Amino acid sequence: MPVFCKQCDDRRLPIFQYSEKITLWLCEKCENFVDPNDIIIRELTESEKDGISAKLEKFSNDTMSIPPEKLSRRKGVN
């Protein structure tokens, strides 16, 4: 499994590709995708970068609306 990039030794993230119906591994530093056999498939496109940024922004906006007491871990009842 290609968890670490061969070029920069940075950690890769699994990203599911809906159009191809497979999971490709993305190195955020080198910005390339590899398959499970550790073969470079393609580079990250500008539209994919924009999509990732939009999802991250949406996630951070959604979590900001959650009250702080809900974000803290619950303590067990003794």
Side-chain angles (χ1 to χ4, degrees):
M1 188 172 298
V3 177
F4 294 99
C5 180
K6 287 182 181 178
Q7 296 173 348
C8 66
D9 290 329
D10 201 16
R11 190 168 178 87
R12 289 185 178 138
L13 304 173
I15 308 266
F16 184 75
Q17 303 294 310
Y18 293 101
S19 60
E20 301 161 7
K21 304 228 185 303
I22 58 170
T23 300
L24 296 177
W25 294 78
L26 171 66
C27 176
E28 291 183 317
K29 189 173 182 182
C30 297
E31 296 183 344
N32 59 21
F33 284 102
V34 297
D35 65 2
N37 298 325
D38 210 13
I39 298 171
I40 295 177
I41 302 295
R42 61 183 175 84
E43 291 187 1
L44 187 66
T45 63
E46 287 297 322
S47 63
E48 289 172 328
K49 285 182 193 178
D50 295 340
I52 290 171
S53 297
K55 286 180 184 178
L56 181 61
E57 185 176 330
K58 182 182 181 315
F59 176 77
S60 62
N61 289 340
D62 289 347
T63 56
M64 293 301 284
S65 65
I66 298 173
E69 61 272 2
K70 297 259 183 186
L71 290 174
S72 64
R73 294 184 179 255
R74 295 182 184 176
K75 294 183 179 182
V77 178
N78 291 330

